[in-house]
Amino acid sequence: MNRRQLLGASAALPLMTIIPRSARAAPGPVPFDAAVVRQMAREAAAKAFKAPDNKLPDSLKDLDYDRYRALRFNPEKALWRGEKLPFEVQFFHRGSFYTNRVDIYEVANGQATQVPYQPENFSFGATPPPPAGADLGFGGFRLHAPINKPDYYDEVCVFLGASYFRAVAKGQVYGLSARGLSINTGEAAGEEFPQFKSFWIEKPASNANSIVVHALLDSESAAAAYRFTIRPGDTTIFDVEMVIYPRVEIKNTGLAAITSMFFFGPNDRKEVDDFRPAVHDSDGLAIFNGRGEQLWRPLHNPRDLQISSFGDRNPRGFGLMQRQKDFSDYQDLESSFERRPSLWVEPIGDWGEGSVQLLEIPTKEEIHDNIGTFWRPKNPLPAKGELAFTYRLHWGPDQPKPSALAIFSRSGIGARGDDTKLFVLDLIGDKLKSIDPTKIKGVVTAEKAEIRNIVTQRNPQNGGWRLSFEMPVKSKAPVELRASLMQDDQAISEVWVYRWTP
């Protein structure tokens, strides 16, 4: 999965044949509410899926990465520029990596009006502009708001490529991505890439602190309608309401899907020749399951594809976190990995039985998104059904604190001799500051492996505690590990879970 392309090259959206605007009736305002998008999705799912049409002028078909980046929108032409509203919208041009046509509408006073494609609003660099009168639509869009300074509109989120979107909170830079829907992710038969084909953006009031975006998604197996309520801030919140209309029975659905990158870190530096201590957009998967248990699963760049499944009923939350937040953790002046957001999914209502799935894909370069996670319902989505899901996305420094349990802040793994691995786990949290140190005990278990020399001690460098242990390596099979801190019989930390692979 290529980070530069956001997997946009893997799929393309249906688009209209390029014809002069004068030959097409100019769309006027039409009544609009959320029910309109749901009805469009319902009607689309009742028909056979139409294969994408990727027609583009020859000058835009085969651009390399740098030439595509030279297709720039003029910020002075942003939607609502000069109207003193809390948001502005800028648009992406189509070309090579993003061939999908996306139609975008402005909604004001209950009326939707299509935002016209105007080539004069873009600069094209060395690429010849499209023919006069061509109506290409857009590749996607981005929202700007004064999130860091009251007098400057920073980019706060972007919808671009298939059903991918990204966001940042105050003081952050882009990192991991979310997806509207994933289908057959990790399956041997191949993944299906649903795609947003139309957006409706509601014009905000002058005193609004949120903006509403509606989206229509389509794919071979399903159509879906979305309503995003977006609130930028110290943590940027997306309230997501989605309704799925399957064309066929879908056995392998991914809800609230997240895509990220993990190249290497202190738990995984074998064969790494790099001046930086770590390179990743996320360092672990956090889960707050329906049983009230909190899990922390450090990420790994494996030699072979690894798929982990965490069975659950009515999960309280899960997400990919970036817990290492100091420059010293990365030493990268350009990438600013310490400023990449964490993304926490908070289901609203009961999601029933299913599992949090984690995919870890081998990669030899940091340009690839090789980590994926999502909720997979236990039962298939029935053909011709209508299924609604609501959830909240928290883009920010960390997951919302569900309890006072200590958390694992760093996981280090190294060799202790030729046939033994040493695990060093650091924990932080206010709960560790008030407990009796004589009653703290580290508990570590492993499937089909021996655990030796469990040690717990204060860590004066971070004000927390350190748990370490050794594991002799006697086979080449993966080993499932669990660790936590206990005070008598009471858990005082989340549970660290890890799959060690040779």
Side-chain angles (χ1 to χ4, degrees):
M1 290 186 276
N2 191 305
R3 294 175 52 70
R4 286 184 171 177
Q5 300 175 19
L6 288 181
L7 289 179
S10 301
L13 291 172
L15 53 95
M16 299 174 65
T17 303
I18 300 168
I19 58 176
R21 185 177 302 152
S22 58
R24 184 184 302 156
V30 295
F32 178 85
D33 60 28
V36 170
V37 187
R38 291 196 296 272
Q39 183 61 27
M40 293 175 69
R42 186 182 297 112
E43 292 175 355
K47 302 175 184 177
F49 176 69
K50 185 177 181 181
D53 180 355
N54 297 327
K55 294 179 181 178
L56 276 174
D58 291 342
S59 61
L60 296 169
K61 286 181 179 179
D62 300 312
L63 303 177
D64 61 23
Y65 177 68
D66 291 328
R67 290 187 66 187
Y68 177 76
R69 286 196 64 188
L71 308 181
R72 296 182 179 275
F73 185 78
N74 180 0
E76 296 300 320
K77 301 296 183 179
L79 188 63
W80 310 320
R81 172 59 63 97
E83 296 188 38
K84 296 182 179 180
L85 297 180
F87 294 90
E88 294 180 351
V89 188
Q90 298 187 21
F91 305 97
F92 290 97
H93 206 284
R94 293 171 54 211
S96 55
F97 302 119
Y98 304 103
T99 58
N100 351 340
R101 179 190 175 105
V102 176
D103 290 318
I104 301 175
Y105 300 82
E106 177 192 14
V107 178
N109 300 318
Q111 300 286 311
T113 305
Q114 187 168 5
V115 178
Y117 166 79
Q118 296 174 305
E120 60 268 26
N121 290 346
F122 293 86
S123 59
F124 292 86
T127 301
D135 181 6
L136 301 186
F138 300 102
F141 69 95
R142 56 193 181 191
L143 296 177
H144 292 244
I147 190 172
N148 294 305
K149 299 179 181 180
D151 58 347
Y152 185 80
Y153 284 70
D154 286 297
E155 186 175 339
V156 296
C157 71
V158 57
F159 288 80
L160 181 66
S163 68
Y164 287 84
F165 56 98
R166 297 193 289 175
V168 293
K170 183 178 180 179
Q172 294 186 324
V173 298
Y174 281 133
L176 76 180
S177 303
R179 298 172 65 178
L181 184 65
S182 71
I183 298 176
N184 293 331
T185 303
E187 297 299 311
E191 182 172 1
E192 181 177 323
F193 287 90
Q195 304 144 47
F196 289 132
K197 60 186 300 183
S198 300
F199 293 95
W200 292 260
I201 307 172
E202 294 190 13
K203 187 174 184 178
S206 59
N207 60 348
N209 61 6
S210 65
I211 187 169
V212 175
V213 175
H214 305 262
L216 174 65
L217 176 143
D218 203 10
S219 74
E220 292 91 336
S221 299
Y226 293 77
R227 184 180 190 271
F228 301 93
T229 303
I230 302 168
R231 298 178 179 86
D234 293 333
T235 295
T236 291
I237 305 295
F238 279 50
D239 287 332
V240 184
E241 303 166 60
M242 62 181 296
V243 185
I244 306 173
Y245 301 90
R247 288 187 171 88
V248 298
E249 181 182 76
I250 307 175
K251 296 181 179 180
N252 301 306
T253 308
L255 303 178
I258 310 173
T259 299
S260 191
M261 179 274 292
F262 182 93
F263 188 28
F264 64 88
N267 63 310
D268 186 5
R269 285 192 57 89
K270 191 173 183 180
E271 299 180 359
V272 171
D273 186 10
D274 198 297
F275 75 94
R276 298 167 294 181
V279 172
H280 49 70
D281 283 345
S282 307
D283 54 13
L285 167 65
I287 299 174
F288 189 15
N289 65 28
R291 300 183 297 276
E293 188 178 40
Q294 297 174 57
L295 306 178
W296 174 249
R297 169 62 154 78
L299 299 178
H300 181 219
N301 181 3
R303 292 191 175 186
D304 302 298
L305 171 67
Q306 297 290 317
I307 300 178
S308 303
S309 181
F310 302 87
D312 200 4
R313 177 192 289 271
N314 298 328
R316 303 187 193 185
F318 66 93
L320 294 177
M321 303 290 110
Q322 184 77 319
R323 286 187 174 175
Q324 292 182 268
K325 300 186 185 305
D326 293 330
F327 171 77
S328 60
D329 295 326
Y330 308 96
Q331 295 290 334
D332 193 321
L333 292 172
E334 297 180 357
S335 297
S336 299
F337 291 111
E338 69 277 5
R339 296 172 59 202
R340 305 291 172 103
S342 298
L343 178 52
W344 180 253
V345 179
E346 178 189 355
I348 306 297
D350 293 341
W351 280 15
E353 287 191 78
S355 59
V356 176
Q357 300 278 311
L358 173 66
L359 276 71
E360 297 168 301
I361 304 170
T363 184
K364 294 183 179 180
E365 297 179 282
E366 64 191 86
I367 64 171
H368 299 293
D369 275 348
N370 64 319
I371 303 296
T373 193
F374 49 83
W375 173 257
R376 174 164 289 175
K378 178 181 179 180
N379 297 321
L381 304 188
K384 311 305 179 183
E386 179 174 328
L387 302 102
F389 298 91
T390 303
Y391 56 96
R392 179 168 293 147
L393 298 177
H394 303 255
W395 309 77
D398 205 347
Q399 70 193 68
K401 301 297 187 226
S403 77
L405 292 180
I407 65 171
F408 289 88
S409 60
R410 182 182 185 274
S411 301
I413 302 175
R416 176 60 63 90
D418 294 334
D419 61 354
T420 300
K421 290 295 180 182
L422 173 65
F423 295 76
V424 179
L425 316 178
D426 288 327
L427 298 97
I428 58 175
D430 292 340
K431 196 172 186 69
L432 298 175
K433 299 176 182 178
S434 59
I435 59 178
D436 183 349
T438 65
K439 294 184 179 181
I440 288 185
K441 178 177 65 173
V443 177
V444 184
T445 60
E447 292 184 359
K448 301 178 182 179
E450 178 187 2
I451 300 299
R452 299 176 180 170
N453 299 331
I454 300 175
V455 177
T456 57
Q457 58 184 316
R458 289 191 183 275
N459 184 343
Q461 300 301 317
N462 65 7
W465 279 73
R466 173 166 288 186
L467 168 62
S468 63
F469 60 92
E470 297 176 1
M471 183 183 74
V473 180
K474 297 181 179 181
S475 72
K476 295 184 179 181
V479 178
E480 300 288 348
L481 295 155
R482 290 174 65 94
S484 63
L485 282 186
M486 304 288 291
Q487 182 180 20
D488 296 328
D489 295 329
Q490 180 183 5
I492 58 174
S493 78
E494 63 186 1
V495 180
W496 179 91
V497 293
Y498 193 71
R499 176 181 294 169
W500 179 84
T501 58

